[in-house]
Amino acid sequence: MSAPSTLGERIAVAEELIERAEALSGSRKGGLEGGAKLCNRLKAELKFLHKVEAGKVAVKESHLQSTNLTHLRAVVESAENLEEVVSVLHVFGYTAGSGEKQSLVVDVVADGGHAWVKAIGRKAEALHNIWLGRGQYGARSVVEQAEDFLRASRQQPVQYSSPRVLFAFYNGVSGPVAEKLREMGVAVRGDIVAVEAPEGPRPGARESDGEGPAVLQAARVGRENAVASLAFPTEVKVDVCPRVNLDITTLITYVSALSYGGCYFVFREKVLTEQAGRERKEPVLPRLEAFMRGKELFACESAVRDFRSILDTLGGPGERDRAATLVGRIQVVPDQPSDRALRLVASSKINSRSLTIFGTGDALKAVTMTANSGFVRAASNQGVKFSVFVHQPRALTESKEALATPLPKN
């Protein structure tokens, strides 16, 4: 990623990046979380550059070189190169080693949340010298930043596994820095460049180490001396959670007549007609079966008891037969909500039944399948994020078909 050399080139780059950022957001259903923030930051940079162009702001050339544009360009390019990007410029909270609450900005959250990417546009030489202790006062090395990322990721598990941390270097990284990051468990993307190390102590050396005064000289690092180029991993290795907890909405959806071809009706109930229309456009059962395949299936006693009660009232014969088969595949376990679930405060979206079902899944370290997105959001707003697989709901409709208007099947 070569840096633009003139003011006009920087303006052109900013305009192009705004278009690319808007395309990223527009290409994702419901938009991209943080996409508006990214676009606004790029527009602010463009506004600043236009002021410089008009002579309203006087800045040195060196200041222009150090604008946020390089970093934002790296963020856009990272988001374009990764799969299942869920957010950009996402702020995570975590507890530092000192016990203080801290926040961390992750440039790109990808692979459905399983990968955290820090995009770095600074030059390899500057990064290396900061690591050696030759940066400006207060400048933190990428190794120190990596420690923060790793600590925060351990406190923000996704499906009970810590997200993998990737550092993407768009202006290269020295071999020693890249090697240190990999030793720490950070994946590295970018050009690995050679370094001409001066005489002097190693990073972190003290006079008591016998290496003389801890006075460090700047190292020479050149992009032209690239010795390797590392691409983004084509696939981030994820420890897939082998356990699935089914809530009542999933049990109903799985056996619903709508999910088995009974979606070609106009029902008397508007909500059922709407669900039937969505089912014709996007069948839900294949998604459920794909997620459940090869995993242990669990449901708590409360979920199964209430599911059977609903079936007795609303279920048709086919739905009841499918329910018997499904329950036979499931390990029914006692209600055992986790401690953090029990700390939730009851509300219109958080009732005792949902708390028990999701809390039991949490205690089992299982991913809870659900169509109850309202509970998931309400719990998250109270600081409790459950590992979930959210899908569209389907109601029991077989007993309603006799009074419904059939539709032609294409």
Side-chain angles (χ1 to χ4, degrees):
M1 184 178 70
S2 59
S5 58
T6 68
L7 178 59
E9 287 178 355
R10 293 189 186 95
I11 290 173
V13 167
E15 292 172 338
E16 178 197 356
L17 289 175
I18 290 171
E19 291 182 4
R20 289 162 65 183
E22 290 174 341
L24 276 170
S25 296
S27 65
R28 286 162 174 79
K29 188 176 180 180
L32 173 65
E33 182 185 339
K37 184 193 300 184
L38 176 59
C39 289
N40 288 339
R41 291 191 182 180
L42 284 164
K43 289 174 182 176
E45 287 297 312
L46 180 60
K47 184 178 180 180
F48 169 74
L49 292 171
H50 278 313
K51 285 183 177 180
V52 174
E53 184 183 44
K56 296 179 180 179
V57 178
V59 294
K60 295 180 180 179
E61 179 67 21
S62 59
H63 290 172
L64 276 180
Q65 293 282 2
S66 61
T67 64
N68 295 323
L69 195 60
T70 302
H71 172 249
L72 294 173
R73 184 179 180 181
V75 174
V76 171
E77 293 191 4
S78 294
E80 290 173 336
N81 281 283
L82 289 161
E83 299 294 328
E84 293 187 72
V85 174
V86 295
S87 62
V88 293
L89 304 179
H90 190 98
V91 180
F92 288 95
Y94 72 102
T95 303
S98 61
E100 295 180 355
K101 298 293 184 182
Q102 302 284 351
S103 60
L104 179 82
V105 178
V106 177
D107 291 325
V108 182
V109 180
D111 287 289
H114 290 282
W116 286 9
V117 180
K118 179 173 178 59
I120 302 163
R122 200 162 190 175
K123 292 182 178 179
E125 185 171 5
L127 294 172
H128 188 86
N129 285 316
I130 291 171
W131 179 59
L132 289 176
R134 293 288 298 178
Q136 294 181 345
Y137 177 76
R140 302 182 73 240
S141 73
V142 290
V143 171
E144 292 172 310
Q145 294 174 55
E147 291 171 349
D148 293 341
F149 267 71
L150 292 169
R151 182 184 296 275
S153 70
R154 287 192 291 268
Q155 297 176 29
Q156 299 282 348
V158 177
Q159 295 187 10
Y160 308 101
S161 295
S162 299
R164 188 180 185 192
V165 176
L166 299 90
F167 275 25
F169 295 91
Y170 285 87
N171 269 308
V173 60
S174 69
V177 171
E179 182 59 30
K180 177 61 179 178
L181 290 172
R182 288 196 292 254
E183 287 176 2
M184 296 169 67
V186 174
V188 175
R189 181 271 187 207
D191 290 338
I192 310 300
V193 299
V195 54
E196 299 175 16
E199 295 294 325
R202 58 178 172 76
R206 299 183 300 275
E207 192 167 352
S208 58
D209 293 331
E211 296 191 17
V215 177
L216 303 173
Q217 301 177 37
R220 290 179 56 81
V221 179
R223 283 295 303 276
E224 67 278 3
N225 298 324
V227 295
S229 184
L230 301 178
F232 276 119
T234 54
E235 182 177 334
V236 175
K237 184 179 179 181
V238 175
D239 294 326
V240 176
C241 181
R243 292 183 164 193
V244 173
N245 175 48
L246 283 70
D247 87 337
I248 298 171
T249 61
T250 300
L251 293 168
I252 291 173
T253 298
Y254 194 91
V255 304
S256 168
L258 290 176
S259 304
Y260 292 83
C263 56
Y264 290 89
F265 291 95
V266 175
F267 295 94
R268 290 189 172 186
E269 298 83 356
K270 181 180 178 181
V271 65
L272 300 185
T273 299
E274 291 173 347
Q275 287 190 11
R278 286 195 292 269
E279 176 64 23
R280 291 193 297 273
K281 293 180 180 178
E282 188 178 353
V284 72
L285 189 61
R287 287 194 68 224
L288 302 186
E289 290 182 326
F291 187 77
M292 294 162 62
R293 190 174 298 120
K295 298 174 184 175
E296 294 182 274
L297 306 182
F298 295 87
C300 67
E301 291 175 344
S302 288
V304 174
R305 182 182 62 247
D306 290 353
F307 171 54
R308 284 173 169 158
S309 176
I310 294 169
L311 272 171
D312 290 342
T313 305
L314 300 173
E319 290 169 335
R320 292 175 185 174
D321 288 345
R322 287 190 290 271
T325 301
L326 176 60
V327 172
R329 296 170 53 196
I330 295 170
Q331 298 181 52
V332 181
V333 297
D335 299 345
Q336 46 182 309
S338 61
D339 290 340
R340 69 192 195 112
L342 292 173
R343 289 196 294 269
L344 288 169
V345 178
S347 68
S348 60
K349 297 292 185 181
I350 298 178
N351 57 42
S352 60
R353 184 172 71 177
S354 295
L355 188 153
T356 297
I357 293 170
F358 283 83
T360 298
D362 195 43
L364 291 169
K365 294 192 179 302
V367 178
T368 297
M369 298 181 71
T370 182
N372 188 356
S373 57
F375 174 88
V376 175
R377 286 193 300 269
S380 179
N381 289 339
Q382 292 190 29
V384 179
K385 295 183 179 180
F386 291 102
S387 291
V388 294
F389 176 89
V390 179
H391 59 84
Q392 290 186 3
R394 299 290 184 262
L396 300 175
T397 58
E398 190 176 9
S399 63
K400 307 281 187 179
E401 291 177 0
L403 299 176
T405 303
L407 293 173
K409 296 182 180 181
N410 296 331

